[in-house]
């Protein structure tokens, strides 16, 4: 039998993930399923825990790490798991955004997600994105972004209002309010994007998203054609539009309607570089990781995950 390890962020969704873990723990104990659980104690801890688990008992057996938390905790686990050939990653949504579960067909209900993992089917080897910034390397599973969306992530990750609204299950309202606030304060910049050797200058850019799967920002269909099985990343550039039109575009992203706007450009590529005259904020899977310039690369078939999709694509 595979060894099962849980990495749990009880702080995800402003502490509401604790209730998710209690349900999971109870279910595992009733079913008599053997497991080991590790709890994150600080930001970045999940990377270390993943490496510790990976190095345990190197007897050639495949281990499953199940993340209970949000996309930020999963992001850390992925960064600890890259290159580990005998790890598979499962996910039980316990965060506020949970875009990974949307993109990879994992049920939002914790027990349904656990049952999917316990069934041991639907393993998929998927692509990830690699970001190189000077000597630092980071990986992402969902998406990375430059500009307006990173500014929203930064504000959301520190927002006291979001913390309060999360406790009332109104996390989405908090995001909406932050988007509106940033809409009136964010300053657009010119960005140079090179996709597989072809460089283009885009003027007055709101944001650039590089996506490995369809969803971002808590359910927005930013990259409707993205797939984590095609060896490519989808690049979305939103530029040269007024604040009011951006609001309209943002709303239309929920159903993928933004694809029809001439100010929204979409490409696919393997090697992407993003440059600006002044540093612009960058996020990866919703976590702020630094600022431009950045190089991004699609890394084919890099990670084994448990998905809810029979075809295993994102
Ligand atoms: N014990 C801890 N105390 C404080 N922060 C923690 C702890 N454990 C993990 N973290 C950090 O909490 C942050 C948020 O976690 P996560 O993204 O999983 O939840 P979320 O923000 O509620 O969900 P989502 O990203 O899906 O919106 C991550 O940056 C992670 O590093």
């Amino acid at each position: 039998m595979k060894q099962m390890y849980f990495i749990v962020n009880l702080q995800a969704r402003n502490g509401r993930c604790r209730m998710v873990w209690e349900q999971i723990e109870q279910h595992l104990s009733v079913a008599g399923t053997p497991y080991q659980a590790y709890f994150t104690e600080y930001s970045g801890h999940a990377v270390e825990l993943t490496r510790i688990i990976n190095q345990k008992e190197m007897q050639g057996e495949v281990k499953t790490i199940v993340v209970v938390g949000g996309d930020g905790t999963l992001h850390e686990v992925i960064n600890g798991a890259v290159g580990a050939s005998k790890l598979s990653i499962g996910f039980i949504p316990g965060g506020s955004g949970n875009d990974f579960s949307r993109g990879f067909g994992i049920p939002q209900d914790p027990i349904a997600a656990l049952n999917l993992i316990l069934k041991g089917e639907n393993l998929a080897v998927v692509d990830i994105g690699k970001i190189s910034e000077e000597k630092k390397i980071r990986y992402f599973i969902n998406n990375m972004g430059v500009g307006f969306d990173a500014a929203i992530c930064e504000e959301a990750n520190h927002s006291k209002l979001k913390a309060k609204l999360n406790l009332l299950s109104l996390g989405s309202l908090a995001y909406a309010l932050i988007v509106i606030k940033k809409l009136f304060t964010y300053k657009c910049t010119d960005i140079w994007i090179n996709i597989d050797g072809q460089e283009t200058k885009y003027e007055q850019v709101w944001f650039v998203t590089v996506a490995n799967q369809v969803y971002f920002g808590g359910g927005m269909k930013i990259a409707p054609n993205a797939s984590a099985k095609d060896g490519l990343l989808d690049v979305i550039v939103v530029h040269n539009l007024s604040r009011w039109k951006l609001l309209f575009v943002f709303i239309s992203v929920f159903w993928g309607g933004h694809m029809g706007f001439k100010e929204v450009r979409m490409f696919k590529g393997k090697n992407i570089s993003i440059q600006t005259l002044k540093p612009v904020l960058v996020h990866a899977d919703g976590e702020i990781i630094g600022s431009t310039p950045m190089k991004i690369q699609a890394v084919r078939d890099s990670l084994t995950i448990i998905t809810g999709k029979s075809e295993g694509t994102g």
Side-chain angles (χ1 to χ4, degrees), residues 131-138 289-291 293-295:
I131 308 172
S132 316
E133 174 208 9
E134 291 188 349
K135 285 182 185 154
K136 275 193 279 175
I137 288 180
R138 282 286 272 258
I289 60 158
S291 50
M294 296 270 173
K295 285 189 174 144

Side-chain angles (χ1 to χ4, degrees), residues 175-188:
Y175 267 109
L177 294 173
I178 292 167
V179 168
I180 290 168
K181 181 182 160 194
K182 286 284 167 198
L183 192 70
F184 289 101
T185 53
Y186 188 77
K187 287 193 173 66
C188 296

Side-chain angles (χ1 to χ4, degrees), residues 77-129:
V77 169
I78 279 156
N79 276 274
V82 169
S85 57
K86 296 208 177 303
L87 279 185
S88 57
I89 311 292
F91 184 71
I92 296 179
S96 23
N98 298 322
D99 283 322
F100 176 79
S101 49
R102 279 189 194 87
F104 292 89
I106 293 162
Q108 294 293 322
D109 174 65
I111 299 302
L114 176 65
N115 285 334
L116 179 79
I117 293 160
L118 294 177
K119 263 204 311 194
E121 295 164 6
N122 287 2
L123 283 176
V125 180
V126 296
D127 311 333
I128 55 174

Side-chain angles (χ1 to χ4, degrees), residues 119-294:
K119 263 204 311 194
E121 295 164 6
N122 287 2
L123 283 176
V125 180
V126 296
D127 311 333
I128 55 174
K130 178 180 175 183
I131 308 172
S132 316
E133 174 208 9
E134 291 188 349
K135 285 182 185 154
K136 275 193 279 175
I137 288 180
R138 282 286 272 258
Y139 296 89
F140 62 92
I141 182 76
N142 292 329
N143 51 66
M144 63 85 68
V146 175
F148 184 66
D149 59 342
I152 291 166
C153 288
E154 190 193 38
E155 174 113 8
N157 290 347
H158 297 108
S159 165
K160 290 200 175 96
L161 176 71
K162 186 188 161 212
K164 283 185 190 144
L165 288 174
N166 255 341
L167 295 175
L168 302 168
S169 295
L170 292 171
S172 307
L173 176 63
Y175 267 109
L177 294 173
I178 292 167
V179 168
I180 290 168
K181 181 182 160 194
K182 286 284 167 198
L183 192 70
F184 289 101
T185 53
Y186 188 77
K187 287 193 173 66
C188 296
T189 41
D190 295 348
I191 299 192
W192 286 257
I193 305 174
N194 188 311
I195 303 174
D196 295 332
Q198 181 101 30
E199 184 162 285
T200 310
K201 177 187 175 189
Y202 293 92
E203 289 176 350
Q204 293 299 302
V205 177
W206 281 91
F207 65 93
V208 182
T209 298
V210 180
N212 190 38
Q213 61 111 330
V214 174
Y215 293 95
F216 100 143
M220 294 183 177
K221 285 180 109 174
I222 187 75
N225 302 322
S227 162
K229 287 295 283 177
D230 63 0
L232 299 169
L233 292 164
D234 285 36
V235 184
I236 296 99
V237 187
V238 178
H239 76 130
N240 258 338
L241 77 173
S242 70
R243 293 180 199 278
W244 288 111
K245 195 160 181 190
L246 180 74
L247 182 61
F248 205 60
V249 168
F250 237 76
I251 294 166
S252 73
V253 176
F254 277 102
W255 63 91
H258 60 300
M259 290 171 82
F261 288 87
K262 70 176 188 319
E263 297 90 347
V264 180
R265 310 294 307 276
M266 298 209 178
F267 311 93
K268 276 186 188 279
K270 216 172 194 168
N271 291 294
I272 299 133
S273 76
I274 302 178
Q275 295 194 13
T276 48
L277 287 179
K278 285 187 190 158
V280 178
L281 212 56
V282 176
H283 81 86
D285 292 335
E287 304 291 304
I288 297 301
I289 60 158
S291 50
T292 51
M294 296 270 173

Side-chain angles (χ1 to χ4, degrees), residues 8-15 17 39-46 67-74 76 91 94-100 157 162 166 175 218 285-287:
V8 187
N9 177 2
L10 294 174
Q11 304 305 319
R13 205 168 170 201
N14 297 106
C17 187
F39 299 90
T40 59
E41 289 167 15
Y42 46 86
S43 191
H45 195 191
V67 179
V68 184
D71 289 323
T73 312
L74 178 74
E76 292 185 6
F91 184 71
S96 23
N98 298 322
D99 283 322
F100 176 79
N157 290 347
K162 186 188 161 212
N166 255 341
Y175 267 109
D285 292 335
E287 304 291 304

